[in-house]
Amino acid sequence: GPIYPEWGAVLSGGLHVTGGLDPAEFLLVAKDLRAEVDTRTVTANGRVRYRTDELTFEEFALRSSGSSVRLNGSLERNEGILFEADVPELQDFLPAAAGRLRGTGRLAAGEDLPRLELDLEGSGLAWGEYRLDGLRLVSEPGEGPEQLGVLRANLAGAGIGEFHLDTAVVTAD
């Protein structure tokens, strides 16, 4: 049966998967792969490769309506996985969500410690009883091996049910 019967997804297009279990590795190639979920269509193109201890995205892109998320690179190499998101309607990818997300970043694990660089903005975000009118999230690498990085989050109009917070600034290093 369907994995998520409540989503009612229909898949079409090109999908080629090869690989094995010993050692664990696979290559997924998507060419105009379409998932029709309710009234939304999500398309995927690109390659995803996993080999023992290495995850690589090769020009992998997800698109739905005017939204897109792109991934490229290897988690275990110094350049990491570069990603770019432009999602004017979050519900294009998450049916129960609302709002806009836009940003870029890099995630790398090939060095001594994982590194995350992130510059993300959001507005009108909501999921269930959670809401956030505005979000700016910036992460930069630390200055040495003892500091993983610096994360700054600016939140506006945060709420959970009846609880509301006008603004909050969080810095972690």
Side-chain angles (χ1 to χ4, degrees):
I3 296 172
Y4 295 104
E6 65 275 10
W7 282 18
V10 176
L11 294 176
S12 63
L15 177 65
H16 182 75
V17 180
T18 58
L21 296 175
D22 191 20
E25 62 180 41
F26 73 85
L27 171 64
L28 179 147
V29 179
K31 183 169 171 64
D32 298 324
L33 180 63
R34 297 168 52 96
E36 295 181 29
V37 183
D38 296 327
T39 60
R40 290 170 298 285
T41 299
V42 178
T43 61
N45 283 287
R47 299 162 64 102
V48 179
R49 177 185 310 271
Y50 175 79
R51 292 184 194 151
T52 304
D53 298 328
E54 185 171 9
L55 176 64
T56 304
F57 292 90
E58 298 171 15
E59 301 297 329
F60 190 80
L62 294 173
R63 291 184 175 80
S64 180
S65 298
S67 298
S68 66
V69 175
R70 293 185 294 159
L71 302 162
N72 197 42
S74 171
L75 186 61
E76 286 71 26
R77 296 186 185 162
N78 286 340
E79 67 272 10
I81 295 174
L82 303 174
F83 60 91
E84 182 178 323
D86 184 7
V87 183
E89 297 290 337
L90 196 53
Q91 68 184 9
D92 288 344
F93 292 117
L94 299 169
R100 175 184 181 93
L101 281 175
R102 183 179 196 153
T104 59
R106 177 178 81 99
L107 176 62
E111 302 161 0
D112 292 336
L113 297 170
R115 297 178 68 85
L116 174 65
E117 296 173 33
L118 181 65
D119 189 349
L120 184 66
E121 291 184 66
S123 61
L125 301 170
W127 185 59
E129 66 178 330
Y130 301 97
R131 65 188 180 286
L132 188 56
D133 295 336
L135 166 71
R136 177 73 192 274
L137 188 60
V138 176
S139 173
E140 299 169 344
E143 294 186 17
E146 61 280 340
Q147 184 185 35
L148 288 176
V150 177
L151 176 68
R152 292 181 189 87
N154 294 327
L155 312 173
I160 302 172
E162 297 297 315
F163 175 76
H164 182 80
L165 183 63
D166 288 333
T167 60
V169 176
V170 178
T171 301
D173 60 10

